[in-house]
């Protein structure tokens, strides 16, 4: 019984790890989207705020997602 | 990218946030922190990350520019408020509550500091405080967490029992009453379930797309009432 439970947990762990790999892959693909290179989009929140502070410009923020196709 | 957007892009810092659901990724939950509930979500922010205006118009440069103009108007209003203009202070408070820029605790403090309010202002602010409280609970709620939803429903019921007003935003109204109903069902509390159902019907009963929802919930209410009779 213990073996079954352990196997279940291991499998669940593997499946979570593989799901996370897939999410990471999707994020990386999204970061390569052509629209991001057509203007000076910043994808790091801290850097965007820093740039706004430095330049005195307001931030125009666009929220999108990578996890869904 | 059109010429209009190229011109627009030079005037502002363009920030693209990607919600990834990658575990432990910094700021992955930023959309909900900024009051967004769906995609795409576009806003104007200041350098502190406070939302100044939400974009609700077409997705083209001229419309983006109109949103940024609203953001600049709000910046001016903040300056007046900082200079001591009481009317501006209340307007800033209402706006920040609408934008979800204040935590429930910050909001309560700001209302106390705003001084005497007109009846209309008081009513509007109390409703917005409830919206802020609901958003505060949602921020801490993880996706696919049924126990978390029940805990939130319990908190909403406690708010109601403490005499706090119901929220005013469409999304907040739905979450507030539906989570409360789900919690009431686990407690076999038919009275709360019915009250929540009636509140939703009063607001959304005329919506044809909601009819199946109401039918299912009516059936659940009847089961709860029958269960009570059996005891």
């Amino acid at each position: 019984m213990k073996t079954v439970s352990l196997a279940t947990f291991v499998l669940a762990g593997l499946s979570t790890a593989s799901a996370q790999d897939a999410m990471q892959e999707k994020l990386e693909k999204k970061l390569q989207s052509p629209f991001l290179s057509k203007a000076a989009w910043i994808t790091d929140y801290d850097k965007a705020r820093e740039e706004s502070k430095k330049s005195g410009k307001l931030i125009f923020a666009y929220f999108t997602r990578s996890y869904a196709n | 990218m059109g010429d209009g957007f190229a011109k627009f892009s030079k005037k502002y810092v363009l920030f693209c946030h990607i919600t990834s659901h990658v575990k432990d990724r910094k700021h992955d939950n930023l959309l909900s922190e900024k009051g967004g509930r769906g995609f795409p979500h576009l806003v104007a922010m200041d350098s502190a990350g406070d939302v100044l205006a939400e974009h609700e118009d077409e997705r083209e440069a001229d419309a983006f520019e109109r949103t940024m103009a609203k953001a600049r108007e709000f910046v001016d209003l903040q300056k007046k408020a900082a200079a001591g203009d009481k009317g501006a202070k209340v307007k800033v408070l209402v706006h920040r509550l609408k934008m979800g820029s204040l935590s429930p605790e910050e909001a309560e403090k700001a209302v106390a500091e705003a001084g005497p309010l007109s009846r209309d202002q008081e009513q509007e602010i109390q409703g917005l405080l409830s919206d802020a409280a609901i958003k505060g609970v949602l921020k801490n709620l993880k996706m696919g967490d049924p126990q978390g939803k029940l805990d939130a429903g319990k908190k909403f019921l406690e708010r109601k029992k403490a005499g706090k007003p119901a929220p005013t935003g469409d999304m907040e109204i739905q979450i507030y009453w539906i989570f409360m109903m789900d919690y009431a069902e686990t407690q076999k509390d038919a009275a709360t379930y019915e009250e929540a159902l009636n509140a939703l019907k009063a607001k959304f009963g005329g919506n044809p797309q909601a009819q199946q929802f109401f039918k299912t919930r009516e059936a659940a209410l009847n089961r709860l009432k029958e269960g009570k009779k059996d005891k």
Side-chain angles (χ1 to χ4, degrees), chain B residues 67-88:
Chain B
T67 297
M68 299 313 281
K70 278 188 206 162
R72 282 192 294 274
E73 277 172 27
F74 181 63
V75 171
D76 290 342
L77 197 65
Q78 281 178 312
K79 284 179 189 162
K80 280 186 193 169
D85 184 325
K86 196 178 171 307

Side-chain angles (χ1 to χ4, degrees), chain B residues 5-224:
Chain B
F5 190 77
K7 205 174 149 192
F8 173 86
S9 70
K10 290 193 176 81
K11 292 169 68 180
Y12 305 102
V13 173
L14 300 185
F15 166 53
C16 174
H17 180 268
I18 303 169
T19 302
S20 67
H21 290 175
V22 169
K23 204 177 165 209
D24 299 330
R25 181 172 169 252
K26 198 177 177 190
H27 302 307
D28 204 55
N29 206 24
L30 197 66
L31 173 81
S32 66
E33 283 173 26
K34 300 300 167 195
R37 305 303 306 169
F39 299 100
H41 184 65
L42 297 115
V43 296
M45 297 194 299
D46 61 17
S47 61
D50 278 344
V51 176
L52 305 171
E54 274 182 20
H55 182 74
E56 292 166 332
D57 207 336
E58 296 292 314
R59 276 194 274 159
E60 46 98 15
D62 286 349
F64 295 153
E65 195 55 78
R66 286 194 289 275
T67 297
M68 299 313 281
K70 278 188 206 162
R72 282 192 294 274
E73 277 172 27
F74 181 63
V75 171
D76 290 342
L77 197 65
Q78 281 178 312
K79 284 179 189 162
K80 280 186 193 169
D85 184 325
K86 196 178 171 307
K89 271 187 188 174
V90 175
K91 281 182 188 167
V92 166
L93 172 61
V94 168
H95 185 91
R96 296 192 77 199
L97 282 170
K98 282 183 180 167
M99 295 295 115
S101 306
L102 297 172
S103 70
E105 296 75 24
E106 287 170 332
E108 298 275 2
K109 193 173 166 234
V111 172
E113 285 169 1
L117 301 165
S118 72
R119 201 172 155 192
D120 285 352
Q121 285 172 333
E122 177 74 33
Q123 225 168 8
E124 183 179 19
I125 287 174
Q126 285 305 324
L128 289 168
L129 280 176
S130 287
D131 290 356
I134 308 302
K135 281 178 185 150
V137 171
L138 287 181
K139 268 182 200 171
N140 298 318
L141 194 64
K142 294 196 171 63
M143 279 180 72
D145 176 11
Q147 188 56 47
K149 282 185 180 177
L150 292 177
D151 292 344
K154 185 182 177 192
K155 274 187 195 160
F156 298 159
L157 180 58
E158 284 165 359
R159 278 183 62 80
K160 192 176 81 64
K161 283 182 177 168
K164 305 264 184 190
T168 55
D170 277 2
M171 188 264 295
E172 288 83 3
I173 290 172
Q174 292 176 55
I175 289 165
Y176 177 79
W177 290 116
I178 292 172
F179 283 19
M180 203 189 297
M181 283 167 95
D182 290 344
Y183 174 69
E185 194 170 6
T186 65
Q187 302 303 300
K188 315 259 182 265
D189 177 358
T192 297
Y193 196 98
E194 188 164 28
E195 185 186 352
L197 184 59
N198 287 339
L200 285 168
K201 274 186 188 167
K203 179 78 182 169
F204 305 106
N207 183 343
Q209 288 176 321
Q211 296 316 304
Q212 186 54 45
F213 167 84
F214 286 121
K215 213 172 147 186
T216 310
R217 295 289 176 154
E218 284 282 2
L221 175 62
N222 288 335
R223 281 197 301 276
L224 276 180

